[in-house]
Amino acid sequence: MFFHVILTTHCNLQCRYCFGESLEDFDEGFNDAEVDYDLPSKVNYNIDLLDKFSRKDPECILTFYGGEPLLCADKIKQIMDNVDAKHFMIQTNGLLLDKLEPKYINRFHTILVSIDGEEALTDYYRGNGTFRKVLDNVKLIKQNGFRGELIARMTVMERTDIYKQVRWLLHNDEFSFSSVHWQLNAGFWENDYQRRNFEQWSQTGYIPGVKQLARFWVDQMEKSGAVLKLYPLLGIAYSLLHNEKNCLLRCGGGWINYAIQTDGCIIPCPTMWGMKKYYLGHINDADPLELRKIFVNQQPCIGCSNLNVCGGRCLYANVTKRWSDEAYGKVCNTVAELVEAVKTEVPRIQRLLKEGKIKLNDFDYIKYNGCEIIP
Ligand code: SF4
Ligand code: SF4
C-alpha cells in the first residue's frame, strides 16, 4: 500500500493554481460533504503509531506530502529514523531540498519535484526565483549522490505549451530530467472555469501538443531505443500493450494509495483533507491492508467508453463535482484525445517491439508513485 503522509498544511510558495485559486474560491463548499476545518497544521500524532501502522504491511510505501513537507525536515528525519517502511518518497516544491542532509535524501526511492518547464513559465506559475532555486537543488542532490528516480512534476494550464515544455525538461543545458509527469489544473476549484479559457486552450494548444508529444515519444524509441518515462504516455501505453481491462483509478486514490492527515485520520487522497464523510479510520487502530476502498462510481464515469483506460481520472473531482457537467466534459475530451494519441502510436510501438528495438519491460514503471497517469 502507498500512503501520503501529510506533514503540514503550510507552504513556502503561493502558486497560481493553488494559493491563487484558493483566494478566488474562498468560502466555497463541497456539495454535501462536511469539512473539518480544525485539523492541526502539523503532525500531532505519535510517530510510534505510524511505525506500528506501517509494520502491518510489509510493502508499505510512505510519501511525504504537504503543504510543503520539507518545512518539516525534522519530522521527516524522525520518521525515516523510526518508522519501518519499505520505501520513502517525497513530493516537494524543491525549494528546501538542500536543507535535508544527503544521508536522508539519498534514501528516497523517488523524489517528485514540482517544476513546470523552463524558467519563464515556472516562475510565472510559481513565483520569481523558484526555477533557479529548484534547479540548483536538483543539481546539488545529484552531486551528493541521489540515485533514485527524480520526476519533474508539472502542473499544466493555459500558459503551457505541453510539447515544448516537456521536451525542454527532457533535454536542456541546465538539468535534463529522465522522468516527467504532468497534471492538468482542471476540476479542482469551484469558479475557475468561468474566468479561464480552458476549452479553447485544450483544443488549440494542449491536445495538438499531446499528439505531437506522443509522436516524438515513439520517434525517440525508433532513433535510440529509449522508452522515455513520460508518465501519462507510459501508463496508457502499458495498459494498451498488456491489454489491461477495467483499470481502477490510476493514481490509486481510495483503493491502494491513501493519505494520512496530520491528526492521523486516513483519507482516500490528500485533496480530500478534512472531508469527514471519507474518513476511513485512524492509524491508531486501522490495518493498512483492510481499509475500506472507495471507487469512482458516479456519473459521468459510469458508462464512459474510456473508463477502462482512464479509471475515472480523479476521485476528488468526481465526488466534489466542482466543475459543471459541460466543463467536466471538456476535461474528459482531453482524456479521450490523450488515449487516442497513444493508441495511434501503438502499431509503431508494436513494430519496434517485434524488431527488438525496444522491450516490453521498458514500459514497466512503479505504479502509484504519485504520478496519476491520467492528467
Ligand atoms: S474520461 Fe471522464 S467520464 Fe470517462 S472515465 Fe475518465 S473522467 Fe470519467
Ligand atoms: S488524481 Fe484526484 S483522487 Fe487521485 S491523487 Fe490526484 S487529486 Fe487525489
Side-chain angles (χ1 to χ4, degrees), residues 31-289:
N31 292 335
D32 59 339
E34 194 191 340
V35 178
D36 183 353
Y37 288 107
D38 293 324
L39 287 167
S41 63
K42 288 185 178 167
V43 166
N44 77 349
Y45 53 81
N46 190 320
I47 293 310
D48 291 346
L49 283 183
L50 184 61
D51 182 48
K52 206 176 99 199
F53 175 77
S54 162
R55 280 172 187 274
K56 291 178 190 164
D57 173 13
E59 302 289 308
C60 186
I61 296 181
L62 300 181
T63 300
F64 297 115
Y65 199 88
E68 170 47 47
L70 282 166
L71 287 171
C72 301
D74 287 343
K75 190 58 80 182
I76 290 176
K77 291 192 260 186
Q78 192 192 352
I79 292 174
M80 291 178 84
D81 287 341
N82 295 292
V83 174
D84 188 8
K86 185 179 178 194
H87 295 303
F88 292 102
M89 301 183 176
I90 187 167
Q91 283 210 30
T92 173
N93 64 29
L95 290 186
L96 299 173
L97 276 168
D98 56 333
K99 300 289 185 274
L100 193 62
E101 294 93 311
K103 75 168 188 169
Y104 292 99
I105 292 279
N106 294 347
R107 279 180 61 199
F108 285 129
H109 177 281
T110 300
I111 299 178
L112 293 111
V113 67
S114 304
I115 184 165
D116 299 323
E118 57 195 10
E119 184 162 13
L121 186 71
T122 297
D123 283 1
Y124 168 76
Y125 285 141
R126 296 181 181 269
N128 285 340
T130 305
F131 171 92
R132 180 55 41 212
K133 185 69 190 155
V134 172
L135 273 214
D136 288 349
N137 279 346
V138 291
K139 286 181 202 168
L140 180 76
I141 64 169
K142 281 285 186 186
Q143 272 164 22
N144 288 342
F146 176 68
R147 297 287 173 266
E149 186 175 2
L150 183 60
I151 305 175
R153 197 185 189 292
M154 311 164 72
T155 303
V156 166
M157 57 188 290
E158 285 87 328
R159 276 275 176 121
T160 305
D161 176 336
I162 189 76
Y163 179 60
K164 178 178 167 196
Q165 298 302 336
V166 170
R167 282 191 320 142
W168 188 90
L169 286 166
L170 290 170
H171 186 69
N172 62 74
D173 297 337
E174 290 259 9
F175 184 91
S176 296
F177 287 85
S178 55
S179 303
V180 180
H181 178 55
W182 69 88
Q183 176 75 351
L184 287 171
N185 173 22
F188 298 128
W189 304 94
E190 189 79 25
N191 295 317
D192 61 332
Y193 188 77
Q194 290 81 350
R195 59 177 182 263
R196 288 171 52 186
N197 200 12
F198 182 84
E199 182 181 7
Q200 196 205 352
W201 167 76
S202 66
Q203 283 177 1
T204 60
Y206 177 71
I207 291 169
V210 162
K211 289 181 180 170
Q212 257 183 307
L213 205 51
R215 276 196 298 276
F216 163 82
W217 187 53
V218 183
D219 288 348
Q220 297 307 301
M221 297 177 205
E222 227 161 37
K223 274 189 201 145
S224 64
V227 178
L228 300 171
K229 278 201 155 43
L230 302 183
Y231 272 94
L233 305 180
L234 189 70
I236 293 171
Y238 180 97
S239 294
L240 297 174
L241 295 171
H242 288 85
N243 207 14
E244 275 185 340
K245 298 272 181 252
N246 306 324
C247 281
L248 297 174
L249 194 61
R250 306 198 63 143
C251 61
W255 68 276
I256 193 164
N257 193 351
Y258 294 81
I260 301 168
Q261 295 187 153
T262 48
D263 64 349
C265 278
I266 301 162
I267 46 175
C269 126
T271 49
M272 293 167 91
W273 165 267
M275 292 169 73
K276 291 186 177 175
K277 188 173 157 188
Y278 295 97
Y279 282 11
L280 302 169
H282 191 280
I283 56 166
N284 191 19
D285 52 7
D287 182 337
L289 299 172

Side-chain angles (χ1 to χ4, degrees), residues 28-35 186-190 269 271-273 275 277-278 298-299 313-325 328:
E28 294 296 340
F30 292 88
N31 292 335
D32 59 339
E34 194 191 340
V35 178
F188 298 128
W189 304 94
E190 189 79 25
C269 126
T271 49
M272 293 167 91
W273 165 267
M275 292 169 73
K277 188 173 157 188
Y278 295 97
Q298 293 186 38
Q299 295 297 347
R313 182 176 173 258
C314 174
L315 179 65
Y316 171 81
N318 186 269
V319 300
T320 59
K321 295 278 176 6
R322 309 209 87 187
W323 278 18
S324 68
D325 291 351
Y328 209 107

Side-chain angles (χ1 to χ4, degrees), residues 291-310:
L291 291 170
R292 184 158 64 91
K293 298 186 191 308
I294 311 260
F295 298 111
V296 171
N297 61 2
Q298 293 186 38
Q299 295 297 347
C301 300
I302 302 309
C304 169
S305 58
N306 274 315
L307 180 62
N308 57 356
V309 185
C310 170

